[in-house]
Amino acid sequence: MNAQLSALLSSAPRHPRRVVCMTEETTEVLYRIGAGDLVVGVSGFTVRPPEARKKPKVSSFLDANFERILELKPDLVLGFSDLQADIGRELCKRGVPVYLFNQRSLAEILQAVRLTGALVGRAEPAEALAEELEKNLERHSDAAQSLPKRPRIFFEEWHEPLISGIRWCSELVEVVGGVDVCQESRASQGAKGRIFDPAEVAKRDPEGVIASWCGRKAKREKIVARPGWEGVRAVLDDQLYEVKSTYILQPGPAALSDGVDQLARIVAAIARGEKLPMARPGDLRTALE
């Protein structure tokens, strides 16, 4: 290669080396494939992995500190969903390379894991991570076959208005042996298509309720006080659970590992007529060990 061409091709690294992650799941993927050193900025909502919280915080979900991001000189910014489209557009205008994921299903989450690794030149470890996560789903799907029944489950992502679970949460309920009573709403790309009148959910009479209120502690008293819910099977049997949003509402490794593990314990208990413990009287039950 001649010196002129070599100089032109060396003006940028072969793969990105300074990555800003505006949501948690790409941060977790990069750390889990041994590329955490590439992460130079993260979302303020980042929890996993804990060491990533030491990195500069440059965004929330709907807002970003553009000047701070530019100071970090990223050669790639990773975001998620149409809700970050305006942020991505502004960064593009400022000359920053941006990739916005938009995964909703389990298959798309696994694809996003593989693609994240490929973007930074770590395709092989990303493939290994995706296969690990897929095997965990297979393990739970196989175990669900031995459950005595497939209990009716309502997964709620928010309480006022009442929003059913996003697609990957609905699919995970199915994987672990439950029947999502609002399954038809999983096709909705946005939350507006998953809003339900509490009375309609009560008519569907879920045997278990799993609450994961985005970034907020779910409250048992708010669930049982809904009009018409006094006769709901889940309320009568006190099969009311919480899975914290950090485990399940990020479309990445957390949902397909710790998140689905918790769902499996909950659905299995409901199917067998058992109850998992609650941390304190009056709290929702949990699957945390």
Side-chain angles (χ1 to χ4, degrees):
M1 185 182 298
N2 63 52
Q4 182 184 27
L5 179 58
S6 178
L8 290 172
L9 297 184
S10 64
S11 63
R14 180 168 294 187
H15 295 99
R17 289 294 174 261
R18 297 183 62 81
V19 183
V20 165
C21 299
M22 295 193 297
T23 51
E24 182 182 72
E25 68 280 351
T26 47
T27 301
E28 184 178 8
V29 169
L30 290 173
Y31 272 83
R32 290 192 61 170
I33 65 174
D37 59 308
L38 305 182
V39 178
V40 296
V42 299
S43 162
F45 293 126
T46 297
V47 175
R48 297 164 62 101
E51 56 267 34
R53 292 189 58 79
K54 298 175 183 177
K55 299 293 177 83
K57 298 174 180 61
V58 299
S59 66
S60 62
F61 189 56
L62 298 178
D63 297 286
N65 186 331
F66 297 111
E67 300 307 321
R68 185 69 180 108
I69 291 174
L70 292 174
E71 288 172 2
L72 294 171
K73 301 184 186 311
D75 45 15
L76 179 63
V77 173
L78 300 176
F80 166 68
S81 96
D82 54 300
L83 295 176
Q84 292 194 332
D86 288 341
I87 298 174
R89 183 183 300 111
E90 181 61 27
L91 287 169
C92 284
K93 288 180 179 179
R94 299 185 184 212
V96 179
V98 178
Y99 192 102
L100 285 183
F101 292 94
N102 208 20
Q103 68 270 30
R104 293 294 191 279
S105 68
L106 297 180
E108 290 168 349
I109 289 173
L110 291 170
Q111 182 189 76
V113 169
R114 294 180 170 101
L115 186 51
T116 300
L119 286 170
V120 297
R122 307 289 178 93
E124 288 189 12
E127 178 64 33
L129 174 58
E131 290 179 356
E132 175 189 333
L133 297 170
E134 189 169 346
K135 286 178 181 178
N136 194 45
L137 295 178
E138 291 174 358
R139 177 174 67 86
H140 285 301
S141 181
D142 291 344
Q145 304 308 309
S146 64
L147 294 178
K149 62 182 293 187
R150 295 182 68 88
R152 300 183 306 277
I153 303 295
F154 177 59
F155 188 106
E156 58 179 75
E157 185 180 314
W158 196 245
H159 61 301
E160 294 175 350
L162 189 58
I163 302 177
S164 66
I166 199 166
R167 180 171 176 174
W168 68 82
C169 294
S170 174
E171 290 182 349
L172 287 175
V173 167
E174 183 178 322
V175 165
V176 301
V179 176
D180 178 5
V181 298
C182 296
Q183 180 178 335
E184 77 276 9
S185 67
R186 73 165 61 159
S188 174
Q189 184 76 1
K192 288 183 179 180
R194 294 183 279 112
I195 295 176
F196 283 85
D197 187 315
E200 173 59 30
V201 179
K203 287 180 185 177
R204 302 184 185 200
D205 196 27
E207 298 165 89
V209 172
I210 302 171
S212 187
W213 296 356
C214 188
R216 190 169 181 178
K217 181 178 174 61
K219 301 288 187 180
R220 184 182 187 280
E221 61 268 22
K222 288 187 176 290
I223 294 173
V224 300
R226 292 169 182 156
W229 278 50
E230 64 277 358
V232 170
R233 189 77 263 161
V235 173
L236 292 172
D237 293 344
D238 194 21
Q239 293 285 21
L240 307 176
Y241 292 85
E242 178 180 27
V243 175
K244 291 185 177 180
S245 58
T246 187
Y247 293 114
I248 198 75
L249 292 187
Q250 301 283 358
L256 277 54
S257 53
D258 291 350
V260 69
D261 291 353
Q262 291 182 43
L263 284 184
R265 288 193 287 273
I266 291 169
V267 171
I270 297 169
R272 295 173 180 135
E274 303 167 352
K275 293 183 177 70
L276 297 181
M278 58 181 70
R280 292 172 298 186
D283 277 358
L284 293 170
R285 301 179 185 278
T286 77
L288 292 174
E289 296 178 334

